[in-house]
Amino acid sequence: MTLPPRPELSSAQQTLQWMTRPYGFLEECAATLGETFALDFRGYGVGVIFSSPEAIQEVLGGDPEVFWAGAGNGILKPFLGENSLLLLEGERHRRERKLLMPSFGRGRVQAYGELIHRVTQEICREWAFDAPFAVRPSMQKVAFRLIIEMVFGPERTERRQRLSRAFAAVLDDELFNLALLSQRAGGEAAGARWAQFVGQLDELSALIYEEIDERRTEDQQARGDILAVLLEARDEEGQPMLREEIHDEVLTLMATGHESTATALAWGIYWLLSSPQVYARARREMLALGEACTGGQIAQSAYLEAVVKEILRLTPVIPVIARQVQREVKVGGYTLEPGMVAMPAIYLAHRRAEVFEEPERFWPERFLDRTYRSHQFLPFGGGVRRCIGARLAMYEMKIVLGTLLRNVDLELAGERALRPVRRLVTIAPSGGTQVVRRRESALCESP
């Protein structure tokens, strides 16, 4: 068997590089080894990185019984649970995805427009003038409030407040880290500090179960939240989702949807403020909508959609896709054996000069001028495992950024070239994107 070239580093060194500087490590390997190369991840096995559109299409368009996604996400099982859509394969995955799909239909997503608009306005009113601050925590606060209300509904009960606090405690804990989650099974050997973190996870889990159990005794027909959809869902045999299945899907939506959107928004603000011409055009278009515009009207902007796509092109918050090979298969001219992981590299695919002119340049207009194929531009993955919340993520990002452009005038503070750093499964900007709110603002009153 002939594998593609690999770095002249030990498995431990490769893993360390991947965990601490994923963007840079991918670029260095591509520059020295070519568009296809292998990495030996300690404790995870051999991953083969592909960046050509043709090889990516072979993987994402291949037989899902050969290319397993759930196995590639196995490190998340201690947190998300064994019933998470991210971990399922085959018929179970198809069934669960079909049950979840109504939560992300066009009409249901658009119904969140005013909620997204309102929450973003409330958060931006908290920002002081002329004082540097990290914008990512504010974006996390926006995404946090949105996902809680989207999943559970608008009620502000005492248990809902406890659930929000428990969720925030888990998210803010330094142990909520991709490199450490798999240690949960270590029990006492992992130490008292880890046991404390596991206790926080268990508290959050118990509160979610309480919400599910109470809501199962109520009529869900008039409700519009995601939990109501899951409680009402029935498969082709008329069977509802199990209590444990609903719990794991709720936890998956809360954690992954919230984290990835907040991180993408932090990168988005960085790119906008780093590009004066883009920032000026986007802000001009948003202000032209007038004082009475709605979240839905903001989301209709073609230029703003191009801006969001360009943000996701340059800094995809998840840089690679993982598919564990179940039987011998040939991809990109190389033979992969069972247990190896085929890894289409979103980050590298988005930087191919033959696909994207001036690939390092932040240039949203490229998305107004042409349409890219699904194996060329793939911020949400592809194939039958494409991110189920992609439509909601795009809609939320457009309205949040558009609302900020209308209501506050920002400029970058601190370091101008941000370093990518890991946050759980995402790659976030170092320092959380430091900004300053300028006195000249449009529609948002001072705090």
Side-chain angles (χ1 to χ4, degrees), residues 316-332:
V317 295
I318 297 177
V320 300
I321 301 164
R323 298 286 187 268
Q324 189 185 73
V325 173
Q326 300 305 300
R327 62 175 181 262
E328 186 176 289
V329 65
K330 183 166 284 190
V331 179

Side-chain angles (χ1 to χ4, degrees), residues 126-194:
E126 299 173 0
W127 296 348
F129 290 103
D130 303 325
F133 66 98
V135 79
R136 194 199 178 283
S138 290
M139 295 301 95
Q140 182 167 332
K141 187 183 295 186
V142 169
F144 180 92
R145 286 181 53 183
L146 290 175
I147 199 64
I148 291 292
E149 187 158 336
M150 288 174 183
V151 170
F152 297 106
E155 297 88 355
R156 304 276 180 120
T157 64
E158 188 272 338
R159 183 174 60 235
R160 188 72 53 75
Q161 292 174 353
R162 285 192 291 132
L163 190 152
S164 296
R165 289 195 295 270
F167 185 32
V170 169
L171 293 173
D172 292 340
D173 197 301
E174 63 184 8
L175 296 183
F176 189 57
N177 182 291
L178 181 65
L180 299 174
L181 274 181
S182 60
Q183 295 181 19
R184 181 176 181 180
E188 294 182 4
R193 180 66 186 83
W194 187 260

Side-chain angles (χ1 to χ4, degrees), residues 60-61 64 69 73 85-86 93 97 100-101 104 106 305 309 312 321 323 346 372-375 377-395:
L60 300 185
N73 295 325
L85 188 68
L86 294 180
H93 174 265
R97 188 177 177 93
L100 286 167
M101 281 299 292
F104 301 99
R106 187 180 304 276
E305 176 154 336
K309 288 180 176 178
L312 297 174
I321 301 164
R323 298 286 187 268
I346 300 172
Y372 296 91
R373 303 185 69 179
S374 60
H375 51 283
F377 176 65
L378 57 159
F380 299 104
V384 298
R385 305 296 297 232
R386 186 174 186 268
C387 174
I388 196 171
R391 177 182 283 122
L392 176 57
M394 285 290 298
Y395 196 69

